[in-house]
Amino acid sequence: MRRKLGLFLYEEMDYKAAEDWLNRRAAAGWELDRIWLNVLAWFRPSGRTDLRYCVDLHRKPDEYALDMEDYYQLCADAGWEYVAQSGGMAIFASSPVARPVPLQTDRKMEERTYWKRAIRPAILGHLLLLGLLAALAALWGWLQWRGVGRAVKPSEILCSTACLLGALGVLCCVIGLLWSIPAGLLHWRRWKRAVEREEPVASSPFWSRFRGGVGWLGWLLMELCVIFQLVELFIPFLGYSGYDVAAHRPELRERPLAMAEEMGVDPNAVTYIREEPVWSLLVQGLRYHEDAREEEGYQFLSCDRYTCVSDGYASLLVRAIRWESGRSGYEAYGLLDFVPVELGLDESWSARDGSFLLLREGCTVALVGAHILDGGAPDLTGERMWNAVLERLDLE
């Protein structure tokens, strides 16, 4: 049997628009089967020409069971069969061969119900939620400013799908909340005018679905943010960290990474390597680190390489890395005060007399560095090392 899926994007204040939407589906030969998660409406062929729907503002079935039984019985006596519940909206379908009578007959009582169950929650509830979001944002900003806990780096945010979805979700939620408050007042005003003139209450089908869709999209993005946050917690474990250099280092030579050979360090002196993949919808890459033990002492070599979704996003990532490296330091090496240097790429920056390079060519961003505890790190801008770095990073 064929099925059809639709999005039930309506809030309580737009229950008349929801009723019109369901009746249009019924006129096209579709019967509502169920509503999942208050948004996914499943339809099946009805085979009826007399099918109609009525949406009433009523509490959920699991509350006040005795009253609900009486309520359902009254609706059944009036020719309406209960079908589904979405939020505070009870959905009824006309019984076959019956001539259902309207459920909303007392306009004054319906007016009070509309205010109590649709308009008042939309205004007061959304105001409280906006206040809570503002308080959480202020608390997070204060903790970051005071340095409590781990500071969130801008580059990590740009390389995180969870942060992107979370930001979009919060934006959609705030837009939906701000929109619902004046919309509720306008709905109430329109409703009172319709009651006074004894006219049918109408809602704009497009704006009703659009407003409900913005709020639904916001919560969907927030849920996806949580899912991707859990995924990103496990992404570092997909890399490698350890002392088995001989077994893993040859595999890394197949990737576009600047390693010990390109930085003038004997690869046989490498005693420890660490790789950490970076994956998001906008950035993919790898963070790589090597420890080498030579006569001069321990040398620490690093290469972070990212491929961004666009040149503009890559330039934004470069600015974020520059800002955070000069403010809080890069890993354990200390502050990196990058200065522009002309190396023939779209963007080139150098720090520590050329020991650290921040590069961008098109959609590719790379941060390469060599650090020696006793000083004397190599200058990567020298012609031989620079050409080797370019070739290995695939930036030529």
Side-chain angles (χ1 to χ4, degrees):
M1 181 171 59
R2 292 186 302 126
R3 297 270 180 162
K4 185 176 181 180
L5 179 64
L7 294 177
F8 191 80
L9 303 175
Y10 296 98
E11 299 177 351
E12 282 80 356
M13 71 174 69
D14 297 308
Y15 77 102
K16 286 295 184 182
E19 186 177 287
D20 293 339
W21 182 73
L22 290 170
N23 282 325
R24 288 197 301 271
R25 297 295 182 279
W30 293 99
E31 176 184 3
L32 179 65
D33 182 32
R34 69 188 67 183
I35 294 181
W36 288 343
L37 305 175
N38 291 334
V39 71
L40 298 176
W42 280 99
F43 294 89
R44 60 191 176 193
S46 64
R48 294 175 54 184
T49 58
D50 62 338
L51 179 62
R52 290 164 49 199
Y53 284 96
C54 176
V55 179
D56 194 23
L57 293 174
H58 212 276
R59 51 184 173 260
K60 295 182 179 180
D62 58 348
E63 300 177 8
Y64 308 102
L66 295 178
D67 292 345
M68 291 302 296
E69 290 179 3
D70 295 340
Y71 171 68
Y72 287 140
Q73 185 59 51
L74 288 174
C75 293
D77 294 341
W80 298 100
E81 296 179 351
Y82 176 78
V83 178
Q85 185 85 23
S86 177
M89 293 178 285
I91 302 173
F92 297 87
S94 59
S95 302
V97 196
R99 293 184 178 180
V101 298
L103 294 180
Q104 299 100 354
T105 55
D106 189 333
R107 300 304 295 269
K108 291 297 183 182
M109 181 180 295
E110 190 181 3
E111 180 182 352
R112 291 193 295 270
T113 301
Y114 184 60
W115 169 259
K116 179 180 178 181
R117 296 181 179 170
I119 303 301
R120 189 172 67 185
I123 296 176
L124 297 181
H126 290 167
L127 281 174
L128 290 174
L129 190 52
L130 277 174
L132 177 61
L133 289 175
L136 290 175
L139 176 62
W140 181 82
W142 181 80
L143 291 175
Q144 290 292 308
W145 177 66
R146 296 290 295 180
V148 178
R150 179 177 176 273
V152 179
K153 295 182 178 181
S155 64
E156 294 179 352
I157 295 176
L158 294 175
C159 293
S160 169
T161 300
C163 291
L164 171 66
L165 295 176
L168 294 176
V170 169
L171 178 62
C172 288
C173 286
V174 170
I175 291 175
L177 293 174
L178 291 175
W179 192 356
S180 293
I181 295 172
L185 295 175
L186 291 175
H187 268 265
W188 179 242
R189 187 177 175 184
R190 188 186 304 117
W191 178 275
K192 288 184 66 67
R193 187 184 303 117
V195 170
E196 292 170 357
R197 299 178 181 178
E198 297 185 352
E199 298 175 349
V201 181
S203 297
S204 169
F206 173 79
W207 289 115
S208 297
R209 286 179 61 81
F210 189 84
R211 180 173 53 253
V214 169
W216 172 78
L217 179 61
W219 291 114
L220 176 63
L221 289 171
M222 294 299 290
E223 292 169 359
L224 290 175
C225 170
V226 174
I227 294 174
F228 273 90
Q229 185 66 60
L230 295 175
V231 171
E232 290 173 0
L233 288 176
F234 291 96
I235 286 181
F237 294 102
L238 300 177
Y240 172 79
S241 177
Y243 297 93
D244 193 1
V245 177
H248 289 83
R249 204 168 182 278
E251 300 175 2
L252 292 165
R253 291 298 298 176
E254 302 298 324
R255 305 189 185 187
L257 288 173
M259 301 168 69
E261 294 89 323
E262 288 73 44
M263 302 186 201
V265 177
D266 182 4
N268 296 320
V270 176
T271 59
Y272 173 83
I273 60 176
R274 183 182 74 246
E275 58 163 326
E276 179 182 314
V278 175
W279 184 89
S280 73
L281 296 178
L282 300 177
V283 180
Q284 292 83 46
L286 184 70
R287 297 188 179 105
Y288 181 65
H289 173 87
E290 291 181 333
D291 289 354
R293 180 71 172 91
E294 290 192 321
E295 294 181 358
E296 295 83 358
Y298 277 104
Q299 302 191 35
F300 305 99
L301 314 174
S302 61
C303 179
D304 301 343
R305 188 183 188 279
Y306 310 95
T307 301
C308 302
V309 69
S310 67
D311 294 5
Y313 202 84
S315 183
L316 182 63
L317 179 59
V318 165
R319 291 197 293 272
I321 294 174
R322 280 183 51 215
W323 180 83
E324 67 191 29
S325 297
R327 180 176 181 269
S328 58
Y330 173 63
E331 293 189 355
Y333 305 144
L335 299 180
L336 299 179
D337 295 323
F338 283 105
V339 295
V341 58
E342 184 57 48
L343 295 174
L345 301 179
D346 290 339
E347 291 184 84
S348 306
W349 304 82
S350 172
R352 301 274 185 86
D353 297 326
S355 295
F356 287 86
L357 298 179
L358 178 58
L359 314 169
R360 183 184 75 84
E361 178 67 18
C363 297
T364 302
V365 175
L367 175 56
V368 183
H371 178 74
I372 300 179
L373 289 178
D374 297 331
D379 181 4
L380 300 181
T381 61
E383 183 176 357
R384 182 182 65 81
M385 290 188 183
W386 171 240
N387 290 332
V389 167
L390 279 184
E391 181 180 357
R392 284 291 294 150
L393 292 175
D394 197 19
L395 293 180
E396 291 183 304

